[in-house]
Amino acid sequence: VQLQASGGGLVQAGGSLRLSCAASGRTFSSYNMGWFRQAPGKDREFVSVITRSTIRGYVDSVKGRFTISRDNGKNTVYLQMNNLKPEDTAVYYCAASSRSGWNLRSQYDYWGQGTLVTVSS
């Protein structure tokens, strides 16, 4: 599976962005799809997941602001980010997992290249 993330950019605090992650292959629907982010000088952290059965999970800091969705017909997962804050600034990565569990980097098999989100105050 190859993943291509897009949609990052520069936005003011309170603004919105929608990230997309397009996947190759015909087994997209069988993967749990996650988003992680890595801020400068920090470890990569879990942000959100949508499982193959469309169960959604979020890190506490983005609950109520971010929404994850997937379109299996387009092999694409989305992350709608609203009310962005400067602390959301990071490179965002999408990832695919065929395993159980979904909030650890080690549980993901494939990674996209990352897209930069910068939120100005």
Side-chain angles (χ1 to χ4, degrees), residues 1-59:
V1 176
Q2 291 185 322
L3 303 175
Q4 180 73 38
S6 61
L10 174 63
V11 64
Q12 290 187 330
S16 299
L17 284 174
R18 189 176 80 155
L19 305 184
S20 300
C21 176
S24 65
R26 293 177 287 181
T27 58
F28 175 78
S29 62
S30 67
Y31 288 94
N32 296 333
M33 297 300 299
W35 287 96
F36 287 71
R37 66 186 179 187
Q38 187 165 15
K42 295 188 177 182
D43 291 336
R44 193 172 300 186
E45 67 168 352
F46 167 78
V47 175
S48 183
V49 65
I50 185 165
T51 70
R52 58 183 70 87
S53 56
T54 66
I55 296 171
R56 293 167 173 83
Y58 302 92
V59 67

Side-chain angles (χ1 to χ4, degrees), residues 42-108:
K42 295 188 177 182
D43 291 336
R44 193 172 300 186
E45 67 168 352
F46 167 78
V47 175
S48 183
V49 65
I50 185 165
T51 70
R52 58 183 70 87
S53 56
T54 66
I55 296 171
R56 293 167 173 83
Y58 302 92
V59 67
D60 285 347
S61 60
V62 308
K63 284 181 180 177
R65 300 188 298 120
F66 291 11
T67 302
I68 192 169
S69 61
R70 67 190 298 162
D71 185 336
N72 290 337
K74 295 182 178 180
N75 281 11
T76 302
V77 62
Y78 304 97
L79 187 67
Q80 177 66 44
M81 306 186 295
N82 298 328
N83 190 21
L84 282 159
K85 303 176 180 181
E87 52 264 42
D88 295 319
T89 295
V91 177
Y92 284 70
Y93 298 88
C94 59
S97 171
S98 60
R99 315 179 193 192
S100 60
W102 37 262
N103 63 331
L104 298 177
R105 290 179 61 181
S106 59
Q107 293 163 333
Y108 288 81

